[in-house]
Amino acid sequence: EDKVVQSPLSLVVHEGDTVTLNCSYEVTNFRSLLWYKQEKKAPTFLFMLTSSGIEKKSGRLSSILDKKELFSILNITATQTGDSAVYLCAVSPNNNDMRFGAGTRLTVKP
Amino acid sequence: GAGVSQSPSNKVTEKGKDVELRCDPISGHTALYWYRQSLGQGLEFLIYFQGNSAPDKSGLPSDRFSAERTGGSVSTLTIQRTQQEDSAVYLCASSPNPRGLGNTIYFGEGSWLTVV
């Protein structure tokens, strides 16, 4: 059975801290891994990763995929209160729908 | 429209009543998804539409759930005889690509359903 496991489930940090969110997966086939940020109801897209070892970066956020060890990390440097959200990881197997993890709830305190 | 539009944004219904949730995808997007997110849970796949192909209904939790997509655009998710465990946020998403081909999808704001 395909599964996506995120850790930690929740995390509380202070502004300026750096955080690393983890996503490990087991899927029959793999096409891509995606990260989303969910603040209220609708997730917003962050990154799509298909190749190992190539870092995707957007401002203070970056992500990388390891297809050998079957995991991805999402890094956020110099965190701000606006980074507080649930971060969702999803894996897309071939010819199948995306499987989402349960998410990591990040709280950034001033 | 500019984004995926869902209505209603919030719905409170009595147990046993039927509800309809509407999704208007981004114009030109051929793929449309429905997901459900219960409190503290990850996103749960419900159903997938791609163009005029038969939908993938493999995620629908029971026969009380059904969805249709008229004219390849607007979709309606119907829940019959609602139960309290149906309380969740129902998210619709669309994509310009078929599933499995570059899966950047765009989510609506969701419909928060509370069954009392």
Side-chain angles (χ1 to χ4, degrees):
Chain A
E1 183 182 341
D2 296 342
K3 62 180 179 181
V4 179
V5 179
Q6 292 187 245
S7 64
L9 291 181
S10 66
L11 189 57
V12 180
V13 300
H14 288 93
E15 274 192 318
D17 289 349
T18 294
V19 297
T20 299
L21 310 182
N22 302 288
C23 175
S24 63
Y25 60 91
E26 293 178 24
V27 294
T28 306
N29 292 297
F30 176 88
R31 179 172 290 275
S32 58
L33 183 145
L34 300 95
W35 284 96
Y36 289 86
K37 177 182 181 182
Q38 184 176 22
E39 295 180 81
K40 292 183 179 178
K41 287 192 287 189
T44 54
F45 171 77
L46 295 175
F47 299 110
M48 183 171 74
L49 305 159
T50 56
S51 301
S52 274
I54 299 174
E55 185 183 54
K56 292 273 183 100
K57 195 170 174 66
S58 176
R60 296 176 294 103
L61 278 66
S62 64
S63 184
I64 198 162
L65 173 68
D66 186 327
K67 289 168 74 173
K68 181 180 177 185
E69 300 297 331
L70 307 182
F71 77 92
S72 173
I73 59 171
L74 175 69
N75 277 321
I76 309 174
T77 59
T79 51
Q80 302 171 358
T81 55
D83 296 328
S84 296
V86 174
Y87 290 83
L88 292 167
C89 171
V91 174
S92 180
N94 287 329
N95 299 318
N96 205 338
D97 196 50
M98 291 194 291
R99 300 296 179 194
F100 282 85
T104 294
R105 180 174 295 280
L106 174 65
T107 303
V108 181
K109 292 189 172 181
Chain B
V4 178
S5 177
Q6 290 189 246
S7 62
S9 55
N10 288 284
K11 175 75 176 178
V12 179
T13 190
E14 292 180 349
K15 180 181 171 182
K17 294 281 180 71
D18 297 351
V19 295
E20 280 189 357
L21 308 176
R22 176 190 166 101
C23 173
D24 198 346
I26 293 172
S27 179
H29 281 195
T30 59
L32 186 146
Y33 305 76
W34 281 98
Y35 292 91
R36 175 172 71 174
Q37 186 169 30
S38 303
L39 196 62
Q41 303 294 316
L43 288 177
E44 175 189 2
F45 166 73
L46 297 178
I47 188 169
Y48 164 73
F49 295 90
Q50 173 56 44
N52 295 320
S53 303
D56 176 355
K57 304 179 182 179
S58 60
L60 294 178
S62 77
D63 59 7
R64 295 186 296 105
F65 288 73
S66 63
E68 61 178 24
R69 189 179 184 192
T70 54
S73 182
V74 172
S75 177
T76 303
L77 177 69
T78 301
I79 309 172
Q80 296 177 309
R81 306 181 302 282
T82 51
Q83 304 293 314
Q84 287 185 333
E85 61 262 28
D86 299 335
S87 297
V89 177
Y90 288 82
L91 288 162
C92 176
S94 70
S95 171
N97 298 312
R99 186 170 60 185
L101 295 176
N103 293 300
T104 302
I105 66 175
Y106 302 84
F107 284 86
E109 288 295 306
S111 292
W112 185 277
L113 175 66
T114 303
V115 182
V116 298

